[in-house]
Amino acid sequence: MGFFSRKKNPKNSLSTSKNFFWGGSTSGTFVNENTAMQTAAVYACVRVISEAIASLPLHVYRYEDTGSKLLPGHSLYNILHNAPNPEMTSFVFRETLMSHLLLWGNAYAQIIRDGGGRVLALYPLLPNKTDVWRGPDGQIYYTYWRNTDESRPNEKSGGVTLSKDDVLHIPGLSFDGLVGYSPIALTKNAVGMAIATEDYGASFFANNANPGGILEHPGTLKNPDQIRSAWEMLYKGGNKAHRIAVLEEGLKFHPISVPPEEAQFLETRKFQLDEIARIFRIPPHMVGDLEKSSFSNIEQQSLEFVKYTLDPWVVRWEQTMNQSLLLPSEKASVYIKFNLDGLLRGDYATRMNGYAIGRQNGWLSANDIRRLENMNEITPEEGGDLYLVNGNMVKMADAGAAYTKQSSENKGGSGT
């Protein structure tokens, strides 16, 4: 059947409490979600996307005949927009879940409801301590494995099983549509190579940027390990550089010169930065690589980041929240939505030019524009809600009628 054979339980060894192949990589480094975050490129990519999702305005709306209406009085509005639980702000909650989603491929949060099914609070659950399984009744269940410090007083540690209605589960890329696969597990060789190059650089400079050497003795040594240890104790490390070596009994030191450029150390580190940015679909300039960025294309890259990187994650969040948090009676008329307009506005001159076109063609009022720019509105008495159109623009039929009328008037005038 193969490693990915179909099983009864929707467990995923790549993203739940067990790591894929126990974190081993071909580079020889141990890779899991925690060690990956010690790599600067992975940390930067996770931080960029998590903070971007956490900073987006998140609102609750209702469909109406004239459009969508914001519902600040809805019970979910305060939970999603301000504080999902007494211990976290909305920013911290979404940043935490998004980082889980990027590292483990799944984000889980326990849903606390009242007797009527309305959401009272949301608490994050660690993905590496959460298992997903299907019960005999065919329903999906979640088991969260608590530590002793997470248990209530006089309770033992162990698993707590929650039903599907009690968990907000946002899966990432998945083969079965139920549990997402960990990006770190699937790309462990690329991440492992980045960790290996960082370890090599650290050890290289810990050895005073000297790759090592050979101690030559004219005779046969009975204790080579003892001489090697004594030499390293005296001369290894940046704080012991430039000491004067004293060699006895005919010992000679031959340094081995292997510059990092010859081992393509810098090129490898640069390539791994691009490789990890590619995994998370991050423009390189957002993680500090400005080699291919300029004033002419960096704005376009930023807009592409919103369109191709953030927007798919936003859709995952919105559809899962609409499915899991709204009451069945609300799903036809109420929806939860992020606002991406602020990230897609472009520079000031481009926005002003767009507003001018909308204003002159009658589909934007002064107050529409001022609301988009977070400015105070103009009162209706002062014309803030008026929609204007250029007076020189008329319909083709009206233009022909006006020309015919003008011609008739001219002929009639010449005959009198």
Side-chain angles (χ1 to χ4, degrees):
M1 294 293 289
F3 184 81
F4 293 107
S5 60
R6 187 174 182 179
K7 298 179 181 180
K8 177 182 177 182
N9 293 342
K11 290 186 178 180
N12 176 6
S13 59
L14 298 184
S15 58
T16 55
S17 57
K18 298 182 180 63
N19 284 318
F20 185 49
F21 292 148
W22 301 279
S25 68
T26 54
S27 64
T29 57
F30 183 83
V31 180
N32 63 18
E33 292 78 11
N34 294 321
T35 59
M37 279 292 281
Q38 298 174 24
T39 304
V42 174
Y43 178 85
C45 290
V46 171
R47 182 180 179 184
V48 166
I49 299 179
S50 298
E51 290 181 346
I53 294 294
S55 62
L56 291 174
L58 180 57
H59 301 300
V60 182
Y61 297 90
R62 175 187 287 122
Y63 294 109
E64 294 191 350
D65 295 337
T66 57
S68 298
K69 180 181 180 182
L70 184 66
L71 299 178
H74 194 280
S75 59
L76 277 175
Y77 188 91
N78 182 64
I79 293 174
L80 298 177
H81 186 269
N82 298 323
N85 60 68
E87 301 172 356
M88 293 181 176
T89 63
S90 178
F91 183 98
V92 173
F93 174 80
R94 285 184 276 154
E95 181 185 45
T96 301
L97 259 62
M98 192 66 224
S99 64
H100 292 172
L101 193 52
L102 293 169
L103 293 171
W104 280 277
N106 294 275
Y108 304 97
Q110 183 181 3
I111 305 174
I112 307 299
R113 301 180 186 271
D114 62 10
R118 288 178 291 271
V119 178
L120 297 178
L122 298 170
Y123 289 90
L125 301 174
L126 289 172
N128 59 332
K129 298 168 65 175
T130 304
D131 284 336
V132 187
W133 53 283
R134 192 182 299 276
D137 56 357
Q139 299 299 314
I140 299 295
Y141 293 92
Y142 300 84
T143 298
Y144 185 76
W145 300 96
R146 299 179 301 175
N147 294 334
T148 304
D149 58 349
E150 295 177 294
S151 304
R152 296 176 181 175
N154 301 323
E155 279 187 344
K156 297 181 179 180
S157 60
V160 176
T161 298
L162 303 170
S163 68
K164 184 178 180 181
D165 293 336
D166 295 327
V167 177
L168 173 68
H169 177 199
I170 307 172
L173 180 64
S174 172
F175 294 165
D176 59 7
L178 294 175
V179 182
Y181 280 166
S182 165
I184 300 301
L186 290 175
T187 60
K188 60 180 180 177
N189 289 330
V191 177
M193 192 169 181
I195 296 175
T197 54
E198 286 193 359
D199 290 344
Y200 170 79
S203 62
F204 180 79
F205 286 102
N207 196 34
N208 193 29
N210 191 334
I214 298 174
L215 285 172
E216 180 184 359
H217 190 272
T220 301
L221 291 175
K222 296 181 179 179
N223 53 353
D225 292 337
Q226 183 178 354
I227 294 177
R228 184 188 299 111
S229 300
W231 180 272
E232 291 181 347
M233 181 179 65
L234 290 173
Y235 305 113
K236 184 178 180 180
N239 60 338
K240 300 175 183 177
H242 310 297
R243 283 187 173 185
I244 298 175
V246 179
L247 303 179
E248 299 179 288
E249 299 181 358
L251 277 175
K252 295 180 181 181
F253 178 75
H254 302 282
I256 299 175
S257 178
V258 183
E261 309 87 71
E262 295 182 10
Q264 295 185 332
F265 170 65
L266 297 179
E267 290 80 358
T268 301
R269 290 209 66 187
K270 171 65 172 61
F271 178 78
Q272 289 311 114
L273 172 63
D274 293 339
E275 189 82 343
I276 292 175
R278 187 179 299 117
I279 293 169
F280 291 99
R281 203 184 296 166
I282 296 286
H285 77 274
M286 301 192 75
V287 290
D289 181 8
L290 301 176
E291 181 178 347
K292 298 180 181 179
S293 299
S294 64
F295 289 109
S296 60
N297 67 7
I298 200 166
E299 181 185 353
Q300 184 61 35
Q301 292 183 51
S302 299
L303 294 177
E304 290 178 355
F305 167 71
V306 176
K307 183 176 181 180
Y308 298 114
T309 303
L310 292 186
D311 197 51
W313 290 118
V314 163
V315 174
R316 288 180 189 272
W317 274 79
E318 290 174 345
Q319 293 187 355
T320 303
M321 290 188 294
N322 287 327
Q323 182 183 47
S324 301
L325 302 183
L326 294 175
L327 295 173
S329 59
E330 296 178 324
K331 292 183 178 180
S333 58
V334 178
Y335 66 97
I336 302 166
K337 186 173 182 61
F338 286 95
N339 186 355
L340 289 167
D341 293 341
L343 298 179
L344 295 170
R345 294 195 305 171
D347 62 90
Y348 183 80
T350 303
R351 296 201 314 274
M352 294 303 108
N353 184 52
Y355 293 153
I357 294 174
R359 180 75 165 140
Q360 293 171 8
N361 288 279
W363 49 273
L364 280 179
S365 68
N367 282 338
D368 290 335
I369 298 171
R370 296 177 72 87
R371 279 191 290 268
L372 291 172
E373 290 294 316
N374 293 320
M375 300 172 64
N376 294 330
E377 297 184 10
I378 301 174
T379 62
E381 292 76 12
E382 297 175 321
D385 294 326
L386 292 178
Y387 293 89
L388 309 177
V389 66
N390 195 325
N392 295 327
M393 298 175 64
V394 296
K395 293 185 295 185
M396 291 294 295
D398 294 341
Y403 177 78
T404 303
K405 180 179 180 181
Q406 183 179 5
S407 300
S408 302
E409 290 176 351
N410 291 337
K411 290 180 180 180
S414 60
T416 55

